[in-house]
Amino acid sequence: MMNDTGHFPALFGSMVFNEDTMKERLSPSCYKQWKQSVSDGTPLEISTANEIAEAMKQWAVEKGATHYTHWFQPMTGVTAEKHDSFIAPAEKGKIVLEFSGKELVRGEPDASSFPSGGLRATFEARGYTAWDPTSFAFIKEKSLCIPTIFCSYSGHALDKKTPLLRSMDAVSKQAVRILRLFGDETTNRVIAQVGAEQEYFLLDKKLYNQREDLIMAGRTLFGAKPPRGQELEDHYFGAIRPRVAAYMQDLDNELWKLGVLSKTKHNEVAPSQHEMAPIYSDANAACDQNQITMEIMKKVADRHGLVCLLHEKPFAGVNGSGKHDNWSLGTDTGRNLFKPGSTPRQNAQFLLFLTAFIKGVDEYQDMLRATVATPGNDHRLGAQEAPPAVVSIFLGDDLSAVVDSIINDTVMTNNGKRTLDIGVDVMPPIPQDNTDRNRTSPMAFTGNKFEFRMPGSSLSISGPNIVLNTMMAHELMLFADELEATGAHNGQADFDKRVAAIIKRELTAHRRIIFDGNGYDESWLAEAKRRGLSNLSTAVDALPAYIAEKNISLFTDHAIYTREEVHARYNIHVENYTATIEIEARTMIDMLRKEIMPAVSAYGTTLCEGLAKRKALGLPSKYEEEHARANCLLCDSLHDACAKLEKSLREVPADPEKAMLFCHNVIVPHMNECRSFADELETITERSAWPFPTYSDLLFSEG
Ligand code: ADP
Ligand code: MG
């Protein structure tokens, strides 16, 4: 990992107050206390916090920082900051640079403007924030950013980090119980590991600025398909354009400084689309880093005269952008728990973890679907490019054959691949190399991790990972309870038998969630229905899973969310859906009334004048007549559709759930109608008469 100039090692993490820096700048006892706090959650003593704060401040000031901010992730998904200056007034007009342990571990932003889903009473406008000592502070634009958890005074989580940390603890606790049963006495913590691949579009800023929809809604609300789309597989990235190459180099540099090990890539399917994949880390750091990445992507684009679009579906008919959430469990001793092992017992353990995962995804498929439910992602899921809205697991031929042989008590034949003999006679051998790839599966096993492909590109990965961790914690807890109750443990034949029995029982019960075929195939939807899998095709269908009793129990049983917190999150998603659709609808009306309709009407007038002149001369005028008629008819239809949209916008019910349904059932279809007329008009309107850049202009503009 080094860039052309070879300065990578010095650059990497240079703006992060990371472990090495702490070791260098803290006293040994202070450093030890911090390490302790990270590994088992022991609260920091104020003297330790003071020493860390002082060292952090000195380091930050040396790096040119003037301010500090508690950097946190409110429930809306974007990050929030409140900047305070280090500078404090001292006697005789002098100033001192101040930053103490108290400010480090607790800040008090005015939280009243952040959505709380009804959690915070209005009189209680303040929440409290506390440094998350498992996440490193960093410097961004002369501000020391302190990753922070954010709670209300009543202790309710108001952010996306607190429940993620809770879920990581929950899965660690239960996984360690299982490992102990298998005779592992050295692992103290199991870590949820995540690598989030990020897709995005780049557009020319000048063109972007001419499109109100891109500015207001982050996606195009109008636009006829260009003659050249992604049909051409060998699109123009064959030779990446210099401006994009410069952007990527700059982006990598900025991300490396912030400790994000990114590898930018250029070969996404759609024109103008790109991807960045970081090296995986623990789920908490991965979530922080993904938030930072999205922010830096936008900032760096600006410097290059470009705009970075993170919307799930900026262009209709062109592939949208996703965020692949690669997830696995690893021990603090460096072992990956989803990697088939080299001994029979390790393989029994691998199969038990795999079974827990399969059971979890089957039982909480609706909840996983709900974590990726946003109005933007509705344009993507099931659109022949992203996974379908049905949740299923891809295991690959080899591992599926193992699963089937366990269920059917058949002997696995070695089909020429390298297999491992598990030795425990009730279990089949496990192929070691699972390199099968299936791009259409929402949840694919890729050798030693699962790749969840449903999240949209703008989503915080916190939500999906909270559910992955918690469902896994839950299933492992049930297995550990069952095994511990028998008193059997590692090394006894009875233990092997009981483990095998659980694996067989649960794989049989949850086989239906495994699907290795083509997820884009129409027949899969019918098959999924036959299997009883849920098909929650839109956000409106999916969001109520948040408040399904079984899902609330999952969260409350493992102390991830309280019942109130679950409801608060549900409310925020519901309100966000309505707000998004309303903004899009209003933007659409604005563009119709102020840009599209005046332009096509004027153009129609020109056509009619031309027609009248030809007719007056008694000349043939078939083309002029048909063209003018088509324009006039479409203008009328568009006018009617726009009026209907305006009317429906005035009728949105006050009740949040009813409002969401109304938006989905009434407003979205009206918007689609407006768009279809406008797009048709675009195709019969002279280029220079169209009021803003077209898809062709936008998609082939990066260069
Ligand atoms: P692909 O494009 O084939 O999906 P990439 O190499 O682009 O693969 O991305 C894979 C992502 O998965 C990277 O972010 C990588 O760091 C991450 N990853 C690799 N191993 C693990 C693991 N054990 N747990 C979680 N994430 C992982
Ligand atoms: Mg991927």
Side-chain angles (χ1 to χ4, degrees), residues 193-197 263 265 275 277-281 324 326-329 336 437 439 446 448-451 453:
Q193 308 176 132
V194 170
E197 300 163 64
K263 290 184 293 172
K265 293 195 279 187
E275 182 189 306
I279 305 289
Y280 71 95
S281 54
H324 294 171
N326 294 272
W327 177 94
S328 68
L329 293 176
N336 182 331
R437 282 302 172 104
R439 293 281 162 195
T446 50
N448 59 8
K449 62 182 161 65
F450 285 91
E451 184 170 346
R453 304 198 180 112

Side-chain angles (χ1 to χ4, degrees), residues 144-390:
L144 171 68
C145 299
I146 301 157
T148 291
I149 58 167
F150 182 34
C151 293
S152 75
Y153 275 125
S154 48
H156 286 306
L158 292 174
D159 66 351
K160 290 181 174 274
K161 191 188 258 283
T162 309
L164 179 63
L165 289 167
R166 291 174 184 163
S167 74
M168 290 170 72
D169 283 346
V171 73
S172 172
K173 187 169 135 202
Q174 303 303 335
V176 168
R177 280 177 75 196
I178 297 285
L179 293 181
R180 290 286 182 272
L181 285 164
F182 276 91
D184 175 342
E185 296 295 334
T186 50
T187 297
N188 287 315
R189 194 168 165 84
V190 167
I191 300 139
Q193 308 176 132
V194 170
E197 300 163 64
Q198 176 74 49
E199 290 178 349
Y200 60 99
F201 278 87
L202 288 178
L203 283 188
D204 185 280
K205 192 157 66 178
K206 283 200 242 37
L207 297 173
Y208 167 93
N209 282 333
Q210 295 170 53
R211 298 255 341 192
E212 188 181 342
D213 46 5
L214 286 175
I215 294 168
M216 302 305 291
R219 72 176 183 104
T220 53
L221 300 169
F222 299 102
K225 256 192 176 176
R228 175 189 175 180
Q230 66 209 45
E231 300 77 19
L232 297 169
E233 287 285 309
D234 58 337
H235 68 73
Y236 70 127
F237 291 114
I240 187 161
R241 296 190 178 178
R243 196 148 144 223
V244 175
Y247 168 80
M248 287 185 170
Q249 172 91 54
D250 201 5
L251 177 64
D252 274 343
N253 268 285
E254 291 301 322
L255 290 174
W256 290 340
K257 280 191 224 163
L258 293 168
V260 181
L261 266 169
S262 73
K263 290 184 293 172
T264 48
K265 293 195 279 187
H266 324 295
N267 296 320
E268 286 323 300
V269 183
S272 296
Q273 192 182 29
H274 311 285
E275 182 189 306
M276 180 291 242
I279 305 289
Y280 71 95
S281 54
D282 74 81
N284 182 33
C287 186
D288 284 357
Q289 293 199 347
N290 183 251
Q291 293 296 134
I292 295 171
T293 298
M294 290 194 285
E295 202 179 317
I296 301 296
M297 278 179 165
K298 291 190 169 231
K299 282 201 177 122
V300 173
D302 196 58
R303 290 210 287 260
H304 292 259
L306 296 164
V307 174
C308 169
L309 297 182
L310 292 171
H311 194 281
E312 288 73 23
K313 190 79 172 179
F315 308 99
V318 175
N319 265 3
S321 301
K323 175 138 52 193
H324 294 171
D325 189 75
N326 294 272
W327 177 94
S328 68
L329 293 176
T331 65
D332 56 0
T333 55
R335 266 191 313 129
N336 182 331
L337 296 174
F338 284 107
K339 200 171 159 47
S342 50
T343 69
R345 193 137 293 115
Q346 281 172 8
N347 280 327
Q349 184 189 298
F350 162 75
L351 284 172
L352 194 66
F353 276 92
L354 183 73
T355 302
F357 186 85
I358 290 168
K359 181 170 186 276
V361 173
D362 189 26
E363 288 175 347
Y364 299 102
Q365 48 181 291
D366 58 336
M367 194 56 231
L368 279 166
R369 169 68 184 89
T371 63
V372 301
T374 60
N377 218 15
D378 277 1
H379 301 287
R380 183 178 159 263
L381 293 181
Q384 299 294 308
E385 49 158 77
V390 179

